[in-house]
Amino acid sequence: MKTWVLYYSRGGNTKKIAEAIAEELEILKTEQVPPAYPPENVQLLFLGTGVYAGKPDPKMIEFIRTLNTDRVKNVAVFGTRGGNDTRAIETVKSLIKEKGINVIDETFSCQGKYFIFFNRKKPDAEDLKAAKAFARKIYDSLKA
């Protein structure tokens, strides 16, 4: 099954989760948006965003607006955040649904390092392990 991992990350937290997902599914490459775009039909797109002031980054929102419904069949959303607010992940899901693309109900979100002092060791090994389990579960459910 053709699977891609795309993300947007300012500080590197979401990139770490994207790389863990790619490692679990043996995907050779992850890319940051924009300008990355699936060059061919993708059965499963893992789409990750950092959460900034409770919202997804504007670059991620713009990227979602350009998604071609003919090229992407399913999207699984993941992200990292400084606090506990997960509304941005739901916003991303809603924007994708508005495009008419199937969105996987289950999401993955964890805390990331926030400034210098908060969540200094996040995402940690347990977060990466959980991200891999999330990816495997989604992938296997669609492959069946």
Side-chain angles (χ1 to χ4, degrees):
M1 173 171 46
K2 184 73 173 176
T3 305
W4 268 51
V5 180
L6 300 177
Y7 65 92
Y8 185 79
S9 181
R10 290 184 198 172
N13 297 317
T14 307
K15 180 180 181 181
K16 288 178 185 176
I17 299 300
E19 289 173 345
I21 290 170
E23 179 181 314
E24 175 64 24
L25 300 178
E26 298 178 3
I27 299 168
L28 299 178
K29 186 176 179 182
T30 62
E31 291 194 38
Q32 180 154 304
V33 297
Y37 197 81
E40 55 195 65
N41 292 341
V42 174
Q43 292 293 99
L44 175 57
L45 172 61
F46 284 92
L47 190 62
T49 186
V51 176
Y52 308 101
K55 297 178 183 175
D57 192 276
K59 289 180 181 178
M60 176 56 71
I61 292 170
E62 185 57 36
F63 175 77
I64 292 168
R65 289 189 177 127
T66 69
L67 273 176
N68 183 333
T69 57
D70 294 332
R71 288 189 179 177
V72 179
K73 187 170 182 180
N74 301 287
V75 177
V77 180
F78 67 95
T80 58
R81 56 196 164 35
N84 292 319
D85 190 353
T86 59
R87 288 179 290 174
I89 301 298
E90 293 304 316
T91 298
V92 169
K93 284 176 62 176
S94 294
L95 291 169
I96 296 166
K97 284 179 184 177
E98 287 174 13
K99 299 279 298 181
I101 299 170
N102 183 52
V103 179
I104 307 300
D105 286 333
E106 186 175 350
T107 62
F108 178 81
S109 177
C110 69
Q111 290 187 323
K113 183 172 60 175
Y114 179 58
F115 293 114
I116 296 173
F117 303 108
F118 302 103
N119 309 330
R120 288 178 61 176
K121 297 181 180 183
K122 293 294 213 163
D124 61 18
E126 287 301 312
D127 296 322
L128 300 179
K129 182 179 175 182
K132 289 179 178 186
F134 160 76
R136 178 57 57 195
K137 180 179 177 183
I138 299 302
Y139 183 85
D140 289 348
S141 72
L142 289 177
K143 194 174 181 184

